[in-house]
Amino acid sequence: MTISGKAKLAGVMGWPIGHSRSPRLHGYWLERYGIDGAYVPLAVPPDRIEQAIRALPALGFRGCNVTVPHKEAAYRTVDRLDATARRMGAVNTIVVGEDGSLEGRNTDGFGFIENLKSGAPGWKAADGPALVIGAGGAARAVVASLLDEGAPRVWLVNRTRARAEELAADIGGNIETADWVSRETLLEGAALLVNTTTQGMAGQPALELDLRALPSSAVVTDIVYTPLMTPLLTAAQARGNRVVDGVGMLLHQARPGFAAWFGREPEVTDGLKAAVLQG
Ligand code: ATR
């Protein structure tokens, strides 16, 4: 659709940004709801991120998303943080207030939980312990949101154990770390298994994990969504576990930003998913 001189503006800052699917995601909603607005990719190099964020109010932007590698810099730059962003130490959504102030939020954990709820109806974090593999930036949102949702315990296993311990200390709560070699033993008590590593992504080897000990009632999810069915999800589905693919986390994390900038609660639909995954 064409936009007018009054169009509401938002976008996504990253470096590089060419691979981002967010413009297509928000563009789909803008079109679908007939909103006079635009959501654009903003290629911002690391040495200019603070300047770029500070410029949002002057440019009349309602706000923006922030992606790799700028989430921590955004955390340091905004005027205010919501409780989740403060806990994460990272911001993925910025909302410009009426007074031009910048509020930093983090909706990655919200996206992760909403994706599980819609992909595995009836799933609850309180169902039992979760086993989370990996301790990078994405793991932080996954672990914190699972605990906030009532998971009785999170087992956190990372190839480099020290990183898992650091994450556990930062987030606090009932997180137990274990050695990489013990990951298959921990499957036995898991109600949820989450891969947050890059293993299984197109061009990367599959995550090395024999699922034999995993209860058949456990839900398995992957934050990797290229391919949608990772080797982990394929193996889990073949043995009868419910699986939830990773693209829904991207779709759902976008909801709060869209609502704040464009004034309408958007819906995650199959049409949206197809549009985002295209090409
Ligand atoms: P982010 O971008 O989310 O911050 P990252 O630093 O790229 O994350 O980390 C990705 C995750 O994949 C990490 O948990 C990493 O483990 P290490 O902390 O040991 O590096 C994990 N990962 C990457 N390659 C891996 C491999 N070959 N085997 C197991 N885990 C791997």
Side-chain angles (χ1 to χ4, degrees):
M1 68 176 263
T2 53
I3 58 171
S4 80
K6 293 179 187 147
K8 297 168 179 163
L9 302 176
V12 54
M13 295 185 185
W15 185 259
I17 199 61
H19 65 280
S20 173
R21 294 180 192 242
S22 292
R24 203 182 293 175
L25 202 179
H26 287 272
Y28 178 93
W29 280 332
L30 288 169
E31 180 85 35
R32 164 114 208 220
Y33 302 129
I35 293 171
D36 184 14
Y39 181 103
V40 294
L42 298 162
V44 181
D47 62 342
R48 309 199 81 173
I49 184 64
E50 188 177 339
Q51 196 183 359
I53 290 172
R54 284 264 151 240
L56 287 168
L59 292 168
F61 271 57
R62 302 280 179 120
C64 70
N65 283 125
V66 181
T67 187
V68 179
H70 297 323
K71 292 184 182 185
E72 287 80 17
Y75 170 85
R76 292 191 297 270
T77 305
V78 294
D79 301 312
R80 266 190 328 279
L81 293 160
D82 77 357
T84 314
R86 191 170 301 120
R87 185 155 188 224
M88 291 305 122
V91 160
N92 79 334
T93 303
I94 297 175
V95 178
V96 178
E98 295 282 329
D99 59 354
S101 64
L102 300 166
E103 180 178 311
R105 304 181 186 176
N106 192 308
T107 66
D108 287 332
F110 169 84
F112 173 72
I113 297 290
E114 289 290 302
N115 183 38
L116 274 174
K117 285 182 177 167
S118 72
W123 172 86
K124 293 188 305 302
D127 289 344
L131 174 58
V132 177
I133 313 278
R140 201 163 278 263
V142 165
V143 169
S145 62
L146 284 172
L147 290 170
D148 289 348
E149 278 287 307
R153 165 170 302 193
V154 173
W155 284 101
L156 183 60
V157 183
N158 193 46
R159 179 181 58 177
T160 313
R161 183 167 175 174
R163 259 185 116 185
E165 280 164 2
E166 200 181 311
L167 193 159
D170 282 357
I171 301 290
N174 204 348
I175 307 170
E176 300 249 4
T177 64
D179 283 329
W180 185 240
V181 291
S182 62
R183 64 199 184 284
E184 281 159 9
T185 324
L186 294 168
L187 287 171
E188 207 174 316
L192 176 72
L193 169 64
V194 190
N195 173 45
T196 74
T197 75
T198 45
Q199 302 290 277
M201 201 179 271
Q204 298 274 340
L207 179 70
E208 268 184 65
L209 190 67
D210 182 336
L211 297 177
R212 211 168 314 171
L214 187 69
S216 57
S217 57
V219 172
V220 180
T221 188
D222 204 321
I223 65 153
V224 170
Y225 60 86
T226 48
L228 210 48
M229 282 301 282
T230 59
L232 172 69
L233 294 183
T234 303
Q237 193 168 55
R239 62 189 296 287
N241 291 96
R242 284 204 289 170
V243 302
V244 180
D245 68 57
V247 75
M249 179 174 173
L250 169 72
L251 306 182
H252 286 279
Q253 64 74 33
R255 284 167 42 201
F258 188 91
W261 307 319
F262 300 116
R264 153 132 206 188
E265 293 284 344
E267 274 177 313
V268 170
T269 58
D270 290 344
L272 173 74
K273 186 169 174 175
V276 167
L277 288 172
Q278 218 172 50

